[in-house]
Amino acid sequence: MVEELVTAAVTVASAGAVYVVAAARVVKQYERGVVFRLGKLRSEVRGPGFTMIVPLVDRLRKVNLQIVTMPVPAQEGITRDNVTVRVDAVVYFKVVDAAEAVVKVEDYRFAVSQMAQTSLRSIIGKSDLDDLLSNREKLNQGLELMIDSPAIGWGVQIDRVEIKDVSLPETMKRSMARQAEADRERRARVINADAELQASKKLAEAAQQMSETPAALQLRLLQTVVAVAAEKNSTLVLPFPVELLRFLEKAQQQVPQQAPGVSRQSVQEQLPPLVAPVDPDLEGTKSSQD
């Protein structure tokens, strides 16, 4: 009798241990458990820690609530200004309702991935190339709203969307490089012209100041000579004053020219003799000797 009781107790204990092992479940801190009893969703979502289910009747499905980082494959499209580009992005999302994520969609990861690719192609067609290159924050927000709208019904929340890279054709890269080079050259010319304008104003002021004191021009010339001589050059070039040339030109214009009606002989008579007069007797003697 005692042996039968012991055997029965051991059997019941064994069955209880098997039941506990079969029914025991552990849910981690970043997970939530969704229980289906005979295929029907239980309203209670199991939290982290130890939990029990009915073996062979209940089925526990764990859902990860951590933020998922999902890369979006590069999508090729044509922008609004007819430029072919390839754009890839990355999506950060998490599950906020474990029951909705299990019941409303078959695979919420695959659904978010397909929605992200479709939204990325759509945002490419609605944007200009300049927006893709320089105004990414606005595009990221628009892309996030496009993906988050249907994802809310799946129990998924889009945390962040970032456009990673924009690939351009080689011809477009060369065109943009030429445009940037031309823009830099334009700015350099404007800066150079502005510098020339400022320098001309300063030179005009300096010239006006020197015109009041002519000795300042000579001092400036001497300073230039000293600066050139300090370089140990073998050749020294001195500037010729333009005022001296103008003086000579005016002097030449003041020389009296030959007046009309005046003979050459009268002009020669007025000029001083260049050769001493020859004695007639000496001239006759020289002719007789010949």
Side-chain angles (χ1 to χ4, degrees):
M1 184 68 180
V2 176
E3 293 180 357
E4 293 178 356
L5 292 176
V6 171
T7 303
V10 171
T11 303
V12 172
S14 299
V18 172
Y19 178 83
V20 170
V21 171
R25 295 290 186 274
V26 176
V27 180
K28 297 180 181 180
Q29 180 66 36
Y30 53 85
E31 294 177 338
R32 296 294 182 270
V34 180
V35 180
F36 291 90
R37 178 165 294 176
L38 297 177
K40 185 178 180 179
L41 176 67
R42 302 283 294 178
S43 60
E44 181 184 359
V45 177
R46 305 295 174 88
F50 182 79
T51 185
M52 297 286 292
I53 62 173
V54 179
L56 303 178
V57 177
D58 293 344
R59 183 170 62 88
L60 179 67
R61 182 171 176 180
K62 299 178 182 179
V63 180
N64 195 329
L65 301 184
Q66 291 177 313
I67 294 179
V68 180
T69 303
M70 176 180 293
V72 181
Q75 303 296 314
E76 185 172 355
I78 300 177
T79 60
R80 190 166 57 182
D81 50 354
N82 299 325
V83 179
T84 304
V85 295
R86 289 178 59 88
V87 182
D88 57 349
V90 59
V91 181
Y92 302 89
F93 67 93
K94 62 181 179 180
V95 177
V96 293
D97 191 338
E100 296 287 338
V102 174
V103 176
K104 291 298 182 65
V105 63
E106 180 180 3
D107 186 353
Y108 65 88
R109 292 175 179 263
F110 182 74
V112 171
S113 176
Q114 294 300 312
M115 179 57 64
Q117 296 180 33
T118 304
S119 301
L120 183 58
R121 286 194 295 268
S122 177
I123 208 73
I124 291 174
K126 295 179 181 179
S127 305
D128 295 330
L129 179 60
D130 294 338
D131 294 335
L132 289 175
L133 296 177
S134 60
N135 196 11
R136 292 190 181 183
E137 291 295 333
K138 182 179 179 181
L139 297 181
N140 292 337
Q141 294 177 2
L143 189 59
E144 180 179 349
L145 291 176
M146 293 178 66
I147 303 175
D148 192 55
S149 297
I152 288 295
W154 305 335
V156 178
Q157 178 182 356
I158 305 301
D159 187 70
R160 190 177 183 86
V161 181
E162 292 287 345
I163 295 177
K164 293 171 57 178
D165 187 26
V166 179
S167 300
L168 301 175
E170 293 297 329
T171 55
M172 180 58 64
K173 291 181 180 179
R174 289 194 293 268
S175 299
M176 294 177 66
R178 289 195 299 268
Q179 180 183 1
E181 183 179 358
D183 186 64
R184 288 194 298 268
E185 184 177 358
R186 178 185 62 82
R187 290 199 299 266
R189 290 184 178 180
V190 170
I191 294 173
N192 190 18
D194 190 19
E196 292 291 340
L197 177 61
Q198 296 179 6
S200 63
K201 292 181 179 179
K202 294 298 181 181
L203 290 175
E205 294 177 1
Q208 184 179 3
Q209 187 68 25
M210 288 183 180
S211 63
E212 298 177 358
T213 55
L217 182 61
Q218 186 66 21
L219 292 176
R220 181 57 184 165
L221 176 61
L222 294 177
Q223 289 179 357
T224 305
V225 171
V226 172
V228 174
E231 299 294 334
K232 298 182 181 180
N233 295 325
S234 59
T235 304
L236 183 62
V237 179
L238 293 178
F240 194 77
V242 180
E243 287 77 5
L244 183 58
L245 294 177
R246 294 176 179 174
F247 174 75
L248 295 177
E249 183 180 359
K250 291 180 180 179
Q252 185 179 1
Q253 292 177 356
Q254 292 177 0
V255 175
Q257 299 180 357
Q258 181 179 352
V262 180
S263 63
R264 181 180 181 87
Q265 183 177 0
S266 60
V267 174
Q268 290 181 354
E269 290 177 354
Q270 296 177 0
L271 295 176
L274 298 178
V275 182
V278 181
D279 191 356
D281 297 335
L282 294 177
E283 186 176 2
T285 306
K286 183 176 180 181
S287 60
S288 62
Q289 290 179 356
D290 293 338

